[in-house]
């Protein structure tokens, strides 16, 4: 008899765990829960119908233009990089924590011609921190990870990259305006622009109001209206379901006053110190009918020979079949991912190596701490 191999995806595991949780829930409670959810679902359905009518009116009045993605052939074989970072925090002794940081730089030196054999450079850092209350260790390690990402942006531009995709917003994070970090990030961005590199931020989870506020609605987020707006456009304009679409690009800059925030202003002031204007091209892309839209942000050098729509089309061109985000972002994300089990395995491996040199009494103390959950 042959051996049957079957691998479970993360989604499969989540479904199995969810089913187990449902089975463990007390039956009468489940019945009440289903009844209440049914009521809420009816309310939600009515809200969706209102949004659908609103979306149709928005498109009819031309308040938002949904455009079809065209194939950009002029820049597909230019040097492209993808960058991402991740981290996991492990508790050590007392208020000391260990942060494991993963950083990835994925390079397509000949663009689409090297799509089957990208160069993947992965770096791992272990940082020891003792944050003063109320600062969390995750905040400190997160900033160190983002500094590492900024250095990779500079490295990619020094390698000659024409386009650098990053997983997340260009001014990252959008809620963090520490002067020292803003200065470091700005330096990396400007140095890259001066080398002729266009930087592209792909934001998969966003809470922006770029589209909603342009409609004069201060209650909705872009995530509330965009999926319905895109889907309505597919039906209204007869767009094939497998065709990617995008919203007309919006320029965010201090000179036009569009969609500014305190963090944007902090970066804008830092850019001005170097005689640069921070000018971000923003748009939303839906890879296909019913798929989740993502936000794209672009800053390009003055020497760029590409118009805004051409740049958006380039981003979409890198969404290869089977993916919902550009390939450079997808590969960088999965190359740098630090998962909990991996972090614990790394620590266990380190302790195993330590066992060969540590004194027996110290080794016993380390094991005792592990069993007490002091070091995980």
């Amino acid at each position: 008899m042959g051996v049957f191999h079957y691998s479970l995806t993360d989604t499969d595991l989540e479904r199995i765990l969810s089913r187990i949780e449902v089975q463990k829930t007390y039956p009468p409670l489940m019945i009440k829960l289903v009844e209440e959810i049914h009521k809420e679902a009816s309310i939600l359905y009515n809200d969706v119908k209102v949004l659908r009518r609103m979306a149709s009116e928005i498109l009819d009045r031309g308040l938002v233009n949904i455009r079809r993605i065209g194939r950009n052939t002029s820049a597909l074989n230019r040097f492209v990089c993808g960058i991402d970072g991740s981290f996991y925090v492990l508790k050590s002794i007392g208020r000391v924590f260990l942060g494991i940081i993963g950083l990835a730089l994925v390079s397509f030196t000949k663009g689409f011609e090297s799509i089957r054999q990208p160069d993947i450079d992965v770096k791992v850092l272990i940082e020891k921190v003792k944050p003063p209350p109320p600062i969390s260790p995750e905040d400190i390690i997160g900033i160190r990870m983002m500094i590492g990402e900024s250095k990779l942006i500079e490295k990619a531009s020094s390698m000659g990259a024409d386009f650098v995709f990053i997983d997340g917003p260009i001014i990252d994070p959008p809620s963090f305006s520490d002067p020292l970090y803003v200065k470091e990030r700005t330096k990396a961005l400007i140095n890259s622009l001066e080398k002729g590199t266009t930087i592209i931020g792909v934001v998969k989870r966003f809470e922006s109001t770029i589209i909603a506020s342009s409609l004069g609605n201060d209650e909705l987020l872009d995530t509330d209206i965009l999926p319905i707006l895109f889907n309505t456009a597919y039906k209204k304009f007869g767009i094939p379901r497998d065709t990617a679409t995008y919203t007309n690009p919006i320029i965010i800059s201090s000179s036009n006053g569009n969609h500014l925030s305190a963090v944007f202003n902090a970066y804008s002031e830092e850019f001005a110190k170097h005689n640069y204007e921070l000018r971000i091209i923003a748009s939303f892309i839906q890879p296909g009918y019913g798929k989740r839209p993502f936000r794209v942000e672009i800053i390009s050098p003055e020497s760029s020979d590409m118009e805004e729509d051409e740049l958006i089309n380039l981003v979409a061109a890198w969404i290869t079949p089977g993916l919902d985000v550009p390939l450079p972002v997808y590969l960088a994300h999965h190359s740098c991912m630090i998962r909990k089990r991996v972090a614990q395995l790394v620590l266990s491996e380190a302790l195993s190596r330590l066992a060969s040199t540590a004194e027996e009494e110290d080794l016993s103390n380390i094991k005792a701490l592990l069993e007490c959950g002091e070091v995980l």
Side-chain angles (χ1 to χ4, degrees):
M1 179 183 294
V3 179
F4 179 70
H5 296 279
Y6 182 76
S7 60
L8 290 174
T9 65
D10 290 343
T11 304
D12 294 330
L13 290 172
E14 287 296 328
R15 287 173 179 166
I16 293 171
L17 292 173
S18 298
R19 192 165 65 245
I20 291 172
E21 288 300 317
V22 169
Q23 292 171 347
K24 287 164 59 177
T25 305
Y26 191 51
L29 179 62
M30 275 298 298
I31 294 171
K32 291 290 184 183
L33 182 59
V34 169
E35 290 174 353
E36 290 303 314
I37 289 295
H38 180 72
K39 294 177 185 176
E40 293 298 325
S42 298
I43 296 172
L44 176 62
Y45 178 63
N46 290 331
D47 290 341
V48 169
K49 286 197 296 184
V50 170
L51 287 173
R52 181 157 51 83
R53 287 195 295 270
M54 182 189 300
S56 183
E57 183 180 349
I58 289 167
L59 294 171
D60 287 338
R61 294 171 59 190
L63 299 177
V64 176
N65 292 319
I66 304 293
R67 305 175 182 177
R68 301 188 192 195
I69 290 291
R71 293 293 292 179
N72 183 306
T73 55
S74 62
L76 291 182
N77 292 327
R78 290 162 74 175
F79 191 167
V80 168
C81 286
I83 290 171
D84 195 16
S86 73
F87 69 90
Y88 189 82
V89 175
L90 296 160
K91 189 176 185 310
S92 185
I93 299 171
R95 289 192 291 109
V96 176
F97 295 82
L98 295 178
I100 301 179
I101 299 173
L103 297 165
L105 171 61
V106 180
S107 303
F108 301 85
T109 54
K110 296 181 180 179
F112 264 59
E113 286 185 14
S114 53
I115 198 168
R116 295 185 181 277
Q117 290 184 315
D119 297 320
I120 300 177
D121 182 12
V122 178
K123 185 177 183 180
V124 177
L125 305 173
I126 297 182
E127 301 277 348
K128 182 180 178 182
V129 298
K130 187 178 180 180
I135 299 174
S136 73
E138 286 79 9
D139 288 340
I140 296 177
I141 298 299
I143 293 301
R144 293 186 182 181
M145 178 201 74
M146 289 183 291
I147 289 174
E149 291 178 349
S150 297
K151 290 178 179 177
L152 285 184
I153 292 173
E154 286 194 88
K155 180 179 179 179
S157 64
S158 297
M159 292 163 53
D162 295 298
F163 306 97
V164 172
F165 286 77
I166 59 175
D167 190 347
I170 288 175
I171 50 176
D172 184 11
S175 60
F176 189 80
S177 56
D178 177 83
L180 181 60
Y181 175 73
V182 170
K183 185 174 293 187
E184 287 295 315
R185 184 77 168 188
T186 299
K187 180 175 74 73
L189 294 174
I190 288 178
N191 286 345
S192 300
L193 289 172
E194 289 180 342
K195 290 182 174 69
T197 303
T198 295
I199 301 158
I200 301 165
V202 174
V203 189
K204 293 174 285 190
R205 295 178 179 83
F206 51 88
E207 295 184 0
S208 61
T209 58
I210 294 174
I211 298 297
S213 62
S214 68
L215 303 174
N217 192 311
D218 58 0
E219 295 182 359
L220 295 175
L221 296 174
D222 290 335
T223 48
D224 296 321
I225 187 67
L226 274 170
I228 297 174
L229 193 64
F230 272 113
N231 286 348
T232 302
Y234 276 87
K235 291 185 176 181
K236 182 178 285 289
F237 305 131
I239 302 172
R241 293 193 169 207
D242 59 350
T243 301
T245 51
Y246 67 104
T247 60
N248 48 301
I250 295 173
I251 305 301
I252 302 175
S253 70
S254 56
S255 60
N256 64 19
N258 277 343
H259 315 292
L260 304 185
S261 65
V263 177
F264 181 92
N265 290 333
Y267 276 89
S268 184
E269 290 173 9
E270 194 62 36
F271 265 68
K273 293 176 184 177
H274 299 269
N275 297 317
Y276 270 86
E277 181 188 18
L278 177 57
R279 180 179 179 273
I280 297 177
I281 302 167
S283 179
F284 295 88
I285 296 176
Q286 182 162 349
Y289 179 82
K291 293 190 175 182
R292 185 173 73 180
F294 62 84
R295 191 172 82 232
V296 58
E297 302 177 351
I298 302 171
I299 55 174
S300 58
E302 293 180 0
S303 59
S304 175
D305 58 353
M306 297 179 68
E307 298 293 332
E308 296 152 9
D309 287 277
E310 288 182 289
L311 289 167
I312 302 296
N313 276 267
L314 174 71
V315 174
W318 277 93
I319 307 174
T320 53
L323 297 184
D324 293 333
V325 294
L327 179 63
V329 169
Y330 179 86
L331 287 181
H333 176 78
H334 286 276
S335 297
C336 75
M337 182 62 67
I338 301 290
R339 298 186 184 276
K340 180 178 179 180
R341 290 187 183 90
V342 173
Q344 291 173 330
L345 181 63
V346 168
L347 182 60
S348 298
E349 178 65 22
L351 293 174
S352 297
R353 294 185 182 184
L354 185 64
S356 61
T357 57
E359 295 182 11
E360 184 177 349
E361 184 176 352
D362 290 333
L363 192 58
S364 297
N365 289 334
I366 291 171
K367 289 181 177 178
L369 287 171
L370 280 168
E371 290 175 1
C372 290
E374 192 65 24
V375 182
L376 293 174

